[in-house]
Amino acid sequence: MISIREKTWMISRLFEKRIRSRGCATKVSHDVTKTVDVLANTEVSSKHVKPLYDTFGRFHDYLRISLTERCNLRCLYCMPEEGVKLTPNKNLLTTDEVIYLTQLFVQEGVRKVRLTGGEPTVRRDLEEIIRRMKKIEKLKSVSITTNALVLTRQLVKLQRAGLDGLNISLDTLKPEKYEKITRRKGWERVIAGIDLAIQLGYKPKVNCVVMKGFNEDEILDFVEFTRDRAVDIRFIEYMPFAGNKWDTVKLLSFKEMIEIINSRWSNFIPLENGPNDTSKAFKVEGYLGQVGFITSMTQHFCGSCNRLRITADGNLKVCLFGNTEVSLRDAIRNGCSESDVIALISAAVKRKKKQHAAYLKNLSLVLNIPSTFIQSPLLTLSSSATFAHRLHFRQLSCLTHTDSKGKARMVDVSAKNVTKRTAIARARICVGKDVYKLVKENQIKKGDVLTVAQIASVLAAKRTSDLIPLCHNIPLSGIKTEFELNDKDKTIEIIATVNCDGKTGVEMEALMAVSVAALTIYDMCKAVSHEMVIEDIRLIQKTGGKSKYTYSE
C-alpha cells in the first residue's frame, strides 16, 4: 500500500513533467503545491473521496475523449491551413488505455462519453472502441462529434456497435462556402450523412459556428432546415483557439442571432433546458427540429459545467480554455495503481477554477473595457447577463470611444476648431553599465543606436493611426525626439515633442514615438544584454484644444 506522502510525491512529479513540457516553468511550484496540499489533506481511498466533485460543488458525469489529433478538413476557425504538428502515434492513447480510463471514470460516476478528435472517424478502431464502451456497466450514452464527411460509409456499423448519438459540424448550407470554410470539398456527403442519421432514428445535433461577414446571412436558412428534419441546429458563438486568428469583429452574439430570427418568425419560442445543458433551446412552432445557442463568449455556463476532457495523448483537461493538463497516460504507463490514477484525477478536478479565463479575457474585448476592470473584486460574476447589463449602462456610457451600446467607435471631431496642438511624452530605458558605455561611445555593432531610434520614433509617430485602431489620422507638422544619457543611473531618457494644426490632440503620437524609440534601443543592444528595462512611459504635457495637461513630478 503506497502512503499518502509517496502518492503526493509521485503525482507532483507527473505535474512537473507535464507542465515543464508545456513551457510553463513559472507555474510549476504553485500548481504542484496546490495538488500536494489537496492530496495531503484528503483520504486517498475511493471509499471516502468523491473524485469528480470540484471545490465549487460541481459533479462531473460527462467525459469527452479525443481519439486523434488528425482531421480530414482544415476549417479556418479551427486550425491553420497547413495543419498542426501531430503527436507521434506512440504517445497517443491506445485502444486499451482509452477503455481503461473510461472504466475508471464510469466507476467514479461518469454516465456520458463523447468521442471527439480531430476527427474520430479517421481512427480505424472507432467501431471497436464504441462496442467495448457499451459493455461498461452504468455507462448510459456513447456519442461522437464528427464532420460527417464519411458518415454514410460508417454510421450503420457504428450504430450496430451501440452508438447512441452524434453531433455534426456544419457551418454553411452552401457548397461553395463549405469549401471555403473547410478548404476541402464534401458538402453533399455531409448533408447525406445528416439525412442518413435521421433515417436511422437519430436526432443529430448540427453545430454551426457563426461568424460575422461570413455565414450570419444563413441563420434563417439553418432555422428553415429544421422545418422537415428532426435535427437540433446549434449556433455557436465564435470562440478563440490557437491558430484561428480570433477577432471580436467576427463575433455574432446570442442576442443578435435571436433578433435576426425573430425578424422572420414571431412563433420562435424557448424550450425547457436541463441543468447541465450548454445550449439554450428554441424552436419554431410546428417545425420537426429545434434550434439551440451555445453562448460561450457572452453568457458563459461555467457554473453548471459537468464536463471533463481527455486529449488524444492522454492529458486530462478540466476546462476547455484552461492550459493546465495532467498526464493520465504517463500515470498508467509508469505503473500507477487504479487508486493512484483516481487520486490524480481527483486532484486535477479539485483544481478546476470557478469559470474559464478566456470568458473574462474575451468579454473585455466584446464589451470594449479593460479585462482588469472585469476581474475587479468589486464586481460579482454570478450572472453574466446581469453583469453585462450593468457594465453596459453604468460604465460604458462615460467612455468617449464607445457608443450607447458599448460598441467601439472613433470620436467625431468634425465640429471642433482647428488649433495648434502640442504633446510631449517621455520614456526611460535602463540599459546597464556595459550597454550604456557602448551606446555612449557609439560602439554597438549594429550601428548608431540613438540615430536609428530617432528615425524609428518619427516613423512610429506618423503611423500611430495604423496601429491604434481608434486614433485619427492626423497630418503632423513637427516631430522632435531627443535623448538624455544619465551616467549615474546608466539610463537613456527619451523625450518626444509632436506638433500639429488640427482638431484633435497628438498625445498618442508622442507616446508612440517614445515607446518605439525605446524598443529600437532594446533591439539594437539586446546582443549585449537582455537585462534592459523600459519604464516610465508617460505624457508630460498636452496643449491646444479645450483640455490642457501638465505632469508634475
Side-chain angles (χ1 to χ4, degrees), residues 413-419 421 472 474 500-505 545:
V413 297
S414 60
K416 292 186 177 183
N417 296 323
V418 174
T419 59
R421 297 169 183 265
H472 294 82
I474 304 171
C500 84
D501 293 305
K503 296 184 175 185
T504 187

Side-chain angles (χ1 to χ4, degrees), residues 73 75 77 146-148 167-175 177-179 181-182 186-192 194 205-210 215 218 222 225 233-236:
L73 298 178
C75 297
Y77 61 79
T146 174
N147 58 36
N167 286 21
I168 296 172
S169 302
L170 180 65
D171 301 317
T172 180
L173 296 175
K174 299 176 180 179
K177 191 178 288 187
Y178 175 87
E179 187 174 340
I181 295 175
T182 65
W187 179 86
E188 292 82 2
R189 281 182 282 165
V190 175
I191 297 300
I194 293 173
K205 298 175 180 177
V206 178
N207 295 334
C208 174
V209 178
V210 182
N215 63 349
E218 294 189 65
F222 270 104
F225 194 76
I233 299 291
R234 306 203 304 176
F235 294 121
I236 303 174

Side-chain angles (χ1 to χ4, degrees), residues 237 251 253-255 295-300 355 359-360 362-369 373-375 379-397 399 402-407:
E237 291 180 338
L251 173 65
S253 70
F254 161 57
K255 180 180 178 182
T295 60
S296 304
M297 289 295 96
T298 60
Q299 296 182 23
H300 74 85
Q355 61 193 56
Y359 172 74
L360 290 176
N362 293 301
L363 183 61
S364 72
L365 297 174
V366 173
L367 298 178
N368 300 295
I369 55 177
F373 179 78
I374 290 180
Q375 296 178 50
L379 297 176
T380 301
L381 294 179
S382 58
S383 169
S384 59
T386 302
F387 171 64
H389 182 274
R390 184 166 65 251
L391 289 178
H392 174 76
F393 288 105
R394 297 190 184 178
Q395 301 296 333
L396 299 179
S397 59
L399 300 178
T402 59
D403 61 21
S404 60
K405 295 183 178 180
K407 299 295 185 179

Side-chain angles (χ1 to χ4, degrees), residues 11 14-15 35 38-39 49-54 60 63 100-106 108 110 308 310 314 316 318 326-328 331-332 337-352:
I11 291 171
L14 286 170
F15 269 109
T35 303
V38 168
L39 292 179
V49 175
K50 295 181 179 179
L52 302 187
Y53 275 99
D54 66 15
H60 300 78
L63 178 65
Y100 173 70
L101 287 174
T102 304
Q103 289 171 331
L104 285 188
F105 276 92
V106 171
E108 299 304 323
V110 163
L308 300 172
I310 298 177
L316 176 63
V318 295
V326 56
S327 180
L328 302 183
I332 295 171
S337 68
E338 179 179 306
S339 62
D340 295 334
V341 177
I342 292 173
L344 182 60
I345 293 168
S346 178
V349 171
K350 286 171 175 55
R351 294 166 64 244
K352 184 170 182 175

Side-chain angles (χ1 to χ4, degrees), residues 231-245:
V231 296
D232 182 0
I233 299 291
R234 306 203 304 176
F235 294 121
I236 303 174
E237 291 180 338
Y238 184 45
M239 296 181 289
F241 290 97
N244 75 348
K245 300 178 181 178

Side-chain angles (χ1 to χ4, degrees), residues 1-48:
M1 181 70 176
I2 301 176
S3 68
I4 290 179
R5 181 181 296 275
E6 291 171 320
K7 289 180 187 292
T8 55
W9 178 86
M10 181 187 308
I11 291 171
S12 69
R13 293 290 295 169
L14 286 170
F15 269 109
E16 287 177 351
K17 180 177 179 182
R18 183 60 199 163
I19 296 173
R20 193 181 300 116
S21 71
R22 290 286 181 182
C24 301
T26 58
K27 295 180 62 179
V28 171
S29 60
H30 176 68
D31 287 342
V32 173
T33 300
K34 286 181 67 178
T35 303
V36 172
D37 287 345
V38 168
L39 292 179
N41 292 287
T42 307
E43 293 290 337
V44 179
S45 170
S46 60
K47 293 180 180 179
H48 301 91

